[in-house]
Amino acid sequence: MTPKLELNAVRKSFGPKKVLNGIDLAIQPGRSLVVIGGSGTGKSVMIKSVLGIVQPDSGSIRIDGEEVTGLRGKNRDAMLRKFGMLFQGGALFDSLKVWENVAFGLVQGRGMNRKDAREIAVEKIRAVGLSPDVGDLLPAELSGGMQKRVGLARAIAASPEIIFFDEPTTGLDPIMADVINDLIVKSVKQLGATALSITHDMASARKIADDVAMIYDGKIIWHGPVGDLDNSGNDYVDQFIHGRAEGPIGRI
Amino acid sequence: MTASTPDTSTFITAPFQLCRNTGAGLLGLFEKIGTLSLFALRAVAHCFLPRWFPAQFLRQLIDIGYYSLPVVGMTALFTGMVLALQSYTGFTRFNAESAIAGVVVLSVTRELAPVLAGLMVAGRVGAAIAAEIGTMRVTEQIDALTTLSVNPFKYLIAPRLMAGTLMLPLLVLIGDVIGVFGGYVVAIYKLGFSPNSYLSQTWDILETMDVVSGLVKAGAFGFIVALMGCYHGFNSARGAQGVGAATTNAVVSSSILILIFNYILTQVFFS
């Protein structure tokens, strides 16, 4: 089967620093892959390369078997319409109301009229467990957990085929983190979407992953089903999932 | 370098080091000019190519134009007033009081209204644009626009560039009137000129080109202010410090560019 998303030998350097050093990764349609790895190992750059926010230096990125690196104009817009993304800090537009944030991709990105878009936005706001009155507030008036929920509602509003989650539980208390994990699992299943998450929260990874890959030093060093995580036979993975200070991964 | 003693090695490397530093500085400067020019070309292209965001454009027209009116108005009023007062104290020594009306109207329309309005708007609008877009960059809101299939150049930058280029000439036109009025008030009520002769002296000396050149300058300055605000905000470094630096750089660079282009445009129009 053609993978939904496939990265081959993707490299990216910022000056002398090699952030991605030949990433190879494939996700089958409908699967949820979680990429784990420490801070500064290139997780975010990898996601941004797929979206074309960062231009990789070399390598190939395919979506549904089609090369997407270097796409421009209308082709790129069409490619981006397949994606939804939940950002680490929410990245809500602070000058717009909550419902306008959720409806943004529908109204501005796809030209839907505001009335229909608002109905969908309210439905998505309900789906992430918020009351519809929240729609008329500004993002600054919401707590961190609520902002994450709104960010999730915005990511799924246009029913994307592929959803990226960038550190979805960072900065949340453990209970709210679990609520967000449940919402992610539920919404990805409902949409039948393919999910790629990056995190260093192992509880979150175990909950939302079908497969896990570990990134270290700009490369994928292990990739397998979440059930094999504890028997990976990889010292780097063992050190990371148990959070040990001593091991092959050096401290900076 | 295989120099045997530290002394000769310094002696030999010093000129190389000097060349290297000069070269690196020059290359850095050209690189900056290059990226800024590419950014400007891309931004201008997006002003003319669809899609457009009329609601954003309207918001910027109001933000940049309407809300700058008090600042520009006050600047023009007091500039016109002080011009009349200063030229009076100077010109009475040569019995040339009749030239005051001309000095006021020409200085205001050709130079002072566009330059001072440009500088005030650089402080008010350029800083605000850089801070807003810089914060959006730092909090990933610009990346979020991209993932929602909205091009940040079309949604954020094109409306600001167009609004800046259109609104500054309008502000300067109003500033021209207020500036001349300021000079008139001082001349009539403080210096005892006759209203009729002051106004006829003003009209006699004023030519269409004086006003038009000022308005063209204003358009260029509006473009510069919006461009520098967008450029520095869009390329803002991370964190509060990054946004602070972006804001400062936007104001400083647009102020300097305004003064440089003022000279260039004056040369083009009047020599």
Side-chain angles (χ1 to χ4, degrees):
Chain A
M1 193 155 52
T2 319
K4 189 76 188 169
L5 173 64
E6 190 178 12
L7 287 84
N8 271 320
V10 174
R11 287 170 202 279
K12 177 70 190 177
S13 302
F14 292 105
K17 190 170 161 42
K18 289 180 182 166
V19 180
L20 300 182
N21 199 6
I23 293 268
D24 296 302
L25 198 62
I27 314 175
Q28 295 299 328
R31 302 283 288 180
S32 170
L33 173 74
V34 172
V35 176
I36 56 172
S39 310
T41 47
K43 301 190 301 278
S44 292
V45 176
M46 182 181 74
I47 280 192
K48 287 180 180 171
S49 305
V50 177
L51 294 169
I53 295 172
V54 170
Q55 284 297 329
D57 298 332
S58 65
S60 127
I61 298 170
R62 291 164 192 273
I63 291 163
D64 295 321
E66 278 177 47
E67 183 65 44
V68 297
T69 45
L71 278 188
R72 297 178 76 89
K74 281 189 181 148
N75 293 335
R76 179 157 184 252
D77 288 346
M79 184 273 282
L80 284 170
R81 283 199 194 105
K82 294 184 178 179
F83 286 96
M85 175 152 176
L86 173 58
F87 285 86
Q88 188 175 346
L92 302 176
F93 305 122
D94 35 29
S95 57
L96 300 179
K97 287 178 185 167
V98 164
W99 81 264
E100 290 173 319
N101 263 286
V102 176
F104 192 89
L106 299 169
V107 177
Q108 309 290 3
R110 284 150 218 249
M112 186 186 276
N113 74 55
R114 279 171 72 86
K115 195 167 156 285
D116 294 348
R118 183 168 187 156
E119 272 173 30
I120 295 178
V122 168
E123 182 196 312
K124 298 292 175 187
I125 289 170
R126 271 216 191 87
V128 296
L130 294 173
S131 101
D133 339 328
V134 172
D136 287 318
L137 300 177
L138 288 170
E141 297 171 281
L142 305 180
S143 70
M146 286 164 96
Q147 288 189 5
K148 272 272 157 72
R149 288 184 199 233
V150 174
L152 178 61
R154 185 174 70 179
I156 60 174
S159 307
E161 297 169 30
I162 306 172
I163 314 180
F164 288 165
F165 300 98
D166 183 1
E167 312 267 2
T169 55
T170 299
L172 300 178
D173 68 71
I175 296 170
M176 183 53 75
D178 203 46
V179 170
I180 295 291
N181 288 336
D182 283 338
L183 281 172
I184 288 175
V185 172
K186 193 181 99 186
S187 30
V188 170
K189 285 267 153 16
Q190 266 175 6
L191 290 172
T194 308
L196 171 62
S197 320
I198 52 181
T199 187
H200 44 64
D201 172 0
M202 288 316 300
S204 171
R206 286 174 197 278
K207 190 136 192 177
I208 61 184
D210 297 324
D211 301 296
V212 177
M214 173 144 174
I215 187 170
Y216 178 70
D217 212 10
K219 279 186 188 143
I220 300 291
I221 55 162
W222 187 80
H223 187 177
V226 66
D228 293 353
L229 195 58
D230 292 311
N231 312 305
S232 63
N234 185 309
D235 291 343
Y236 291 86
V237 175
D238 274 344
Q239 186 193 349
F240 190 84
I241 64 175
H242 295 111
R244 295 192 199 105
E246 300 303 323
I249 303 174
R251 277 173 290 172
I252 300 162
Chain B
M1 198 57 60
T2 52
S4 50
T5 67
D7 283 340
T8 44
S9 119
T10 331
F11 184 69
I12 294 167
T13 54
F16 283 108
Q17 194 59 42
L18 186 69
C19 291
R20 197 173 293 145
N21 290 345
T22 317
L26 268 179
L27 283 179
L29 180 69
F30 285 130
E31 193 188 336
K32 281 216 178 75
I33 295 175
T35 45
L36 175 62
S37 310
L38 284 178
F39 183 91
L41 280 177
R42 212 176 142 192
V44 171
H46 282 291
C47 291
F48 292 103
L49 299 170
R51 294 176 46 215
W52 293 286
F53 292 90
Q56 291 301 308
F57 180 53
L58 191 68
R59 209 193 105 195
Q60 293 306 323
L61 285 181
I62 294 169
D63 264 9
I64 296 177
Y66 183 69
Y67 289 122
S68 297
L69 204 49
V71 179
V72 172
M74 292 298 274
T75 311
L77 180 69
F78 284 98
T79 305
M81 286 167 71
V82 84
L83 263 178
L85 203 56
Q86 276 289 14
S87 40
Y88 180 77
T89 51
F91 287 6
T92 43
R93 295 180 201 166
F94 316 107
N95 295 323
E97 292 93 338
S98 59
I100 292 176
V103 168
V104 170
V105 72
L106 289 191
S107 315
V108 166
T109 53
R110 283 184 176 195
E111 287 293 328
L112 293 171
V115 172
L116 291 180
L119 294 177
M120 296 309 280
V121 171
R124 209 193 80 83
V125 174
I129 290 177
E132 189 181 357
I133 295 186
T135 306
M136 291 186 76
R137 162 64 70 205
V138 171
T139 56
E140 296 188 300
Q141 290 179 48
I142 292 182
D143 293 343
L145 279 176
T146 308
T147 64
L148 295 165
S149 330
V150 173
N151 187 328
F153 269 81
K154 293 190 191 299
Y155 186 79
L156 292 176
I157 293 171
R160 284 168 172 80
L161 274 187
M162 291 192 288
T165 314
L166 279 179
M167 288 318 269
L168 210 63
L170 269 179
L171 284 169
V172 166
L173 193 61
I174 298 169
D176 284 348
V177 175
I178 296 177
V180 171
F181 173 75
Y184 171 87
V185 167
V186 169
I188 305 307
Y189 295 101
K190 182 154 171 54
L191 308 174
F193 280 70
S194 116
N196 285 337
S197 67
Y198 187 91
L199 281 182
S200 66
Q201 282 161 8
T202 300
W203 279 120
D204 285 347
I205 201 151
L206 187 67
E207 286 172 20
T208 317
M209 194 56 185
D210 299 323
V211 177
V212 169
S213 71
L215 298 186
V216 172
K217 280 181 178 180
F221 299 163
F223 179 79
I224 289 172
V225 167
L227 179 72
M228 297 318 281
C230 291
Y231 174 76
H232 288 286
F234 203 77
N235 295 302
S236 167
R238 286 175 170 232
Q241 214 172 12
V243 177
T247 311
T248 311
N249 290 338
V251 176
V252 172
S253 59
S254 52
S255 303
I256 290 173
L257 283 175
I258 283 173
L259 295 173
I260 294 174
F261 274 88
N262 182 47
Y263 178 82
I264 296 173
L265 289 173
T266 306
Q267 176 109 20
V268 170
F269 279 118
F270 298 109
S271 70

